[in-house]
Amino acid sequence: MEVFGLAIPPELVQLVLNLLNYAMFVGGGLLKLPQVIAILRKRTVKGISETSLATEFLACISFCSYNLLMGHPLKTWGEMALIAVQCGILTIMFWFYSEEPPA
C-alpha cells in the first residue's frame, strides 16, 4: 500500500486497523457511563425521556440482530452491542428511579 508515495507495510496497516477496532469497542463501552454515574449519584432520572431510552435500545438491538443474522464479524458491529447493553441498563434504571408509575 502506498500513501503519498511512501510504501506502507501491510502489517502496519493491519495493526492500525486492529487498534482502531479496539478503540471503537472502548468508546462504545464508555459511551453511556457518565449518564449511568450521574443517575446513581443523584438517584433521579428527572429530565430523561423513557421513550428516547426505549427507542435507542430497540434501534441498537435491531442493528445487532441484523448484523448477527447476516453473519457479519463481531468486530464490525460489536461496539453497538455494548451500547445496547448500556441502553438496557439505563432503561431499567429509569424504571427503578422514576417517580411516576410506569404506563
Side-chain angles (χ1 to χ4, degrees), residues 8-80:
I8 299 176
E11 296 83 10
L12 181 61
V13 172
Q14 191 62 37
L15 175 66
V16 169
L17 289 175
N18 283 333
L19 289 174
L20 287 173
N21 278 331
Y22 289 125
M24 292 293 291
F25 273 97
V26 170
L30 300 175
L31 184 67
K32 303 288 183 178
L33 191 59
Q35 195 170 17
V36 169
I37 291 170
I39 292 171
L40 289 173
R41 279 187 182 159
K42 297 184 179 188
R43 304 222 181 263
T44 183
V45 289
K46 190 171 186 172
I48 299 175
S49 167
E50 180 181 19
T51 304
S52 68
L53 290 174
T55 303
E56 185 177 10
F57 179 65
L58 290 174
C60 291
I61 292 296
S62 298
F63 183 84
C64 291
S65 299
Y66 171 80
N67 282 285
L68 184 64
L69 291 173
M70 295 303 291
H72 296 153
L74 180 66
K75 68 180 183 179
T76 62
W77 57 271
E79 78 279 353
M80 189 59 73

